[in-house]
Amino acid sequence: MTAPDLSVVVPVFNEEESVGPLHAALTEALRGTEYELVFVDDGSSDGSQGALEALAASDRGHTRLVQLRRNYGQTAAIAAGIDHASGNVIVLMDADLQNDPADIPAMLAKLEEGFDVVSGWRVKRRDAFLTRTLPSRMANGLISVVTGVPLHDYGCTLKAYRREVLEGFRLYGEMHRFIPAYA
């Protein structure tokens, strides 16, 4: 595989039912782009690993699989994906289908305008309001004030980065959420 312009890194944990539709949506959204999909299986205990192996085998030109021996968490899976990504632009996204791959071309257009980071936003969340959405909104407001980087949704994994923005620091804990502030 030659070095692509774009790497899409997708951490996966127990998303057997989602990875096929996600792969199809990514393939459609990225048509005409030099890209690679880097799926990172974060120690899934369902059939995600087998589903990902089948996708990688059927789409050797674009799809790669990184397998972690056990569940290390989302940040570790993202870090492993970034380490294996070869694109000049790296897009991070979840495997749960809450982010629309069709948004990626618009994010890439923003990068072409000169931005280094473009952040997605889960406008129509499918989470419980009191236990997930409200605390997330409060955290986003607090983080924006403390860091001076106003984002609607720090918790949204869908983000596009120029490769050089991601170089030079190691991710750990839940640090992937704060990459825009570090950048």
Side-chain angles (χ1 to χ4, degrees):
M1 187 183 309
T2 60
D5 297 329
L6 170 68
S7 296
V8 180
V9 173
V10 183
V12 177
F13 180 69
N14 292 342
E15 294 287 351
E16 178 182 10
E17 300 299 320
S18 300
V19 294
L22 176 61
H23 181 272
L26 283 164
T27 300
E28 178 63 28
L30 301 176
R31 189 178 312 277
T33 305
E34 288 295 321
Y35 71 93
E36 69 177 352
L37 307 177
V38 181
F39 287 93
V40 182
D41 180 26
D42 188 20
S44 294
S45 59
D46 66 352
S48 294
Q49 179 179 339
L52 291 168
E53 288 171 347
L55 288 172
S58 69
D59 187 20
R60 291 190 188 279
H62 291 108
T63 303
R64 296 175 34 187
L65 174 58
V66 176
Q67 294 176 295
L68 303 182
R69 288 186 293 175
R70 65 175 182 85
N71 179 242
Y72 289 93
Q74 189 176 26
T75 298
I78 287 171
I82 292 169
D83 288 346
H84 285 84
S86 55
N88 295 320
V89 170
I90 298 175
V91 171
L92 307 178
M93 74 180 303
D94 288 330
D96 64 4
L97 300 174
Q98 284 204 50
N99 303 127
D100 187 353
D103 292 336
I104 294 174
M107 297 175 84
L108 298 177
K110 282 295 186 187
L111 287 177
E112 287 186 21
E113 289 178 22
F115 294 96
D116 292 326
V117 178
V118 180
S119 181
W121 175 15
R122 296 169 293 179
V123 176
K124 295 179 182 176
R125 291 185 64 166
R126 291 183 256 158
D127 297 316
F129 180 77
L130 284 177
T131 59
R132 298 291 303 245
T133 304
L134 181 61
S136 176
R137 286 183 185 170
M138 292 168 47
N140 288 325
L142 179 62
I143 294 167
S144 291
V145 168
V146 169
T147 64
V149 179
L151 288 182
H152 284 101
D153 193 354
Y154 271 90
C156 180
T157 303
L158 181 61
K159 292 183 174 54
Y161 300 93
R162 293 185 188 282
R163 170 175 283 290
E164 56 269 17
V165 170
L166 295 172
E167 294 174 345
F169 59 89
R170 300 301 309 162
L171 297 175
Y172 57 89
E174 290 295 312
M175 196 169 149
H176 71 278
R177 300 182 195 290
F178 302 101
I179 296 172
Y182 295 127

